[in-house]
Amino acid sequence: MTDVVARLVDALPPDEVVQDPDVIAAYARDAADLCPVGEARALVRARSVASVATTLRLAHEARCPVVTRGAGTGLSGGANAIDGCLLLSVAKLDRILHIDRAARLAKVQAGVLNGDLDRAAAEHGLMYAPDPASRDISSIGGNVATNAGGACCLKYGVTGDHVAEITAVLADGSIIHTGATSGKNVAGLDLNRLLVGSEGTLAVIVEVTVRLLPRRAARGTLVAFFSTLADAGRAIVELGSSASLSRLEVMDQTTVRAVDDLLHLELDRDAAAMVLAQADTADAQAIIAAAETTCERHASSTVFTTLDESEGKVFMQARSAALPALEKRGPWLLDDVAVAPTRIPELLELCARAANDHEVVVGTFGHAGDGNLHPTLIYDGEDGRRRALAAFDAILMGTLELGGTVTGEHGVGLLKRPHLERMLGSRELQLMRGIKTVFDPRGILNPGKGY
């Protein structure tokens, strides 16, 4: 392994291999502050698929670990450097290669930002549906690697539901192509689905063909405030089961107050929870009217509805600002748990109870319609950090007792790895690790992450 950096310098264009410690450090971690980070040997900022293949071939020969990173917006430590690794950035692979309006497909490189793809699709009357709150700064490759979600999931599903084909580079530098653009494809094992959500442990994703949809704007929006979490939870369950909504989101009081401090929207700061719902079909007016009745039946203190698209965007911006607003309160640790939507009331209460039991500030928000919440723990000092970690574990354990999962969309990375066996089982983990061995026999791709 001693000469791998020198070999990379000889093999790649001169501006692609970086050995400056300060630059390497800037690429060494994602947005999960409490996850450990190691010291990388060098950084490769690849500008072509050929450079990715060469990097992996040389690393494979040298048995040197490789940690791939995109935009660095991950929240689980999945892109954090480990000691002695090569950091491989694919952020410069940022071209939209082709948009086929008739077939409703777009072929893009891994570094293309989610929001940029959607804006390009809009020029053809189409949309790229997956919409993580970080869509303007997170990349398609990273979204695929973590199977990212977003507010659209209630109606349109997660990233993997929109992936048709993947081009990826294996650990030994060979290039593979998975999936198909046809509407149906059952030939062989579904390698696409294996790569989606694999967090850089099986291969490096370099190009993705995604499915696009006819563009739809929100035609109706509802915002409701509730005096108790229990009332909000019951309303969410009924809304999710009976209304044809495209989005159903929730923010607790801590989050609402943080967002209001940031955006000055004059939100109800005394409410225990704020629920946001949208419909994007031709009968949106009727759907939103029925949703208003549902909220009133579950004792909402205030309900506001609008059919104006610009007003609807303002309220959804409030939801998108949840994490940035909470970040301003101090150091934070974001959880990402999911349960069956019918158990959302219990999950909301669980998060509130963890905050009270461990005397830590918890701002809970997320995708209520599909049961995926993001309790965010704010702490101060070492004692606060200890209490935040205890509350974090309590939320994870409680979620598992509710039949849920320790991560709904952000991935396992380093943050959730200690809890994975409890959730999945030891034999199941053995199977996953056996699959990794087939893809990456020398174990150089993102070792120690995920499963």
Side-chain angles (χ1 to χ4, degrees):
M1 193 169 73
T2 55
D3 64 341
V4 64
V5 176
R7 294 184 68 191
L8 286 168
V9 169
D10 289 340
L12 297 178
D15 61 340
E16 290 192 356
V17 182
V18 179
Q19 299 181 68
D20 183 326
D22 292 333
V23 177
I24 293 171
Y27 282 76
R29 68 177 318 136
D30 65 15
D33 287 341
L34 289 185
C35 290
V37 57
E39 186 173 336
R41 297 168 56 82
L43 163 69
V44 176
R45 293 189 288 204
R47 294 180 179 274
S48 68
V49 174
S51 289
V52 172
T54 297
T55 300
L56 291 177
R57 176 176 57 80
L58 294 177
H60 178 77
E61 291 172 0
R63 299 180 182 270
C64 178
V66 177
V67 175
T68 307
R69 68 165 276 143
T73 60
L75 292 165
S76 66
N80 283 14
I82 63 172
D83 287 338
C85 77
L86 293 173
L87 286 171
L88 173 58
S89 170
V90 295
K92 296 294 185 182
L93 298 178
D94 58 0
R95 291 186 297 132
I96 297 175
L97 301 172
H98 180 61
I99 292 180
D100 186 333
R101 184 179 184 278
R104 296 179 187 170
L105 296 169
K107 185 173 185 178
V108 302
Q109 292 184 312
V112 169
L113 298 184
N114 181 305
D116 288 346
L117 171 57
D118 185 54
R119 284 183 283 273
E123 297 177 7
H124 300 267
L126 302 171
M127 70 174 185
Y128 178 59
D131 63 341
S134 60
R135 66 181 307 165
D136 286 328
I137 56 174
S138 64
S139 61
I140 297 296
N143 289 176
V144 174
T146 58
N147 202 7
C152 77
C153 293
L154 176 63
K155 181 173 183 178
Y156 295 109
V158 294
T159 297
D161 296 317
H162 302 268
V163 173
E165 294 179 320
I166 294 173
T167 299
V169 185
L170 295 177
D172 63 2
S174 57
I175 297 173
I176 62 170
H177 306 277
T178 66
T181 58
S182 55
K184 294 180 178 179
N185 172 35
V186 294
L189 298 180
D190 193 344
L191 297 181
N192 249 19
R193 285 288 180 177
L194 275 178
L195 293 179
V196 173
S198 61
E199 301 187 52
T201 62
L202 299 182
V204 176
I205 295 167
V206 289
E207 292 178 1
V208 185
T209 300
V210 298
R211 301 189 188 280
L212 305 175
L213 297 173
R215 194 158 196 86
R216 287 181 174 177
R219 301 188 182 194
T221 301
L222 172 145
V223 180
F225 294 92
F226 295 84
S227 299
T228 70
L229 288 176
D231 288 338
R234 286 190 289 268
I236 287 166
V237 171
E238 184 172 343
L239 288 168
S241 63
S242 63
S244 300
L245 299 168
S246 57
R247 301 181 184 211
L248 181 55
E249 301 287 300
V250 68
M251 300 193 299
D252 71 354
Q253 184 181 77
T254 298
T255 309
V256 168
R257 290 180 174 181
V259 169
D260 200 47
D261 287 341
L262 180 67
L263 299 182
H264 307 293
L265 295 174
E266 298 184 3
L267 303 175
D268 185 350
R269 299 170 65 91
D270 295 324
M274 170 180 169
V275 173
L276 303 94
Q278 285 192 324
D280 63 3
T281 52
D283 58 346
Q285 183 173 1
I287 293 171
I288 293 299
E292 180 178 14
T293 300
T294 297
C295 290
E296 290 171 345
R297 186 163 54 249
H298 289 284
S300 58
S301 56
T302 307
V303 183
F304 172 80
T305 65
T306 180
L307 300 178
D308 183 270
E309 183 182 349
S310 60
E311 287 183 340
K313 285 182 178 179
V314 169
F315 285 112
M316 290 311 297
Q317 285 171 359
R319 164 59 186 86
S320 297
L323 182 55
L326 289 168
E327 286 176 351
K328 292 186 175 295
R329 298 298 175 95
W332 54 276
L333 172 62
L334 184 139
D335 217 326
D336 164 39
V337 289
V339 295
T342 54
R343 309 206 76 168
I344 274 288
E346 295 162 275
L347 182 55
L348 286 168
E349 293 291 348
L350 167 65
C351 296
R353 188 166 60 251
N356 183 67
D357 291 348
H358 297 280
E359 299 179 333
V360 61
V361 174
V362 178
T364 299
F365 61 92
H367 317 305
D370 62 13
N372 183 198
L373 297 186
H374 304 312
T376 303
L377 300 90
I378 311 298
Y379 62 92
D380 183 31
E382 185 56 35
D383 182 61
R385 178 180 180 274
R386 177 188 57 78
R387 286 184 281 108
L389 287 170
F392 180 86
D393 285 344
I395 292 170
L396 288 176
M397 293 297 294
T399 298
L400 292 179
E401 290 172 4
L402 292 173
T405 173
V406 297
T407 177
E409 60 185 6
H410 293 163
V412 174
L414 291 168
L415 192 61
K416 302 295 181 70
R417 202 166 191 260
H419 303 274
L420 208 57
E421 184 169 354
R422 185 181 300 113
M423 176 184 167
L424 298 178
S426 58
R427 182 60 180 140
E428 290 78 0
L429 279 177
Q430 288 176 2
L431 291 171
M432 294 180 188
R433 290 165 183 164
I435 291 169
K436 176 174 173 58
T437 300
V438 173
F439 278 80
D440 176 21
R442 294 184 176 178
I444 69 167
L445 293 180
N446 218 10
K449 311 286 182 58
Y451 51 92

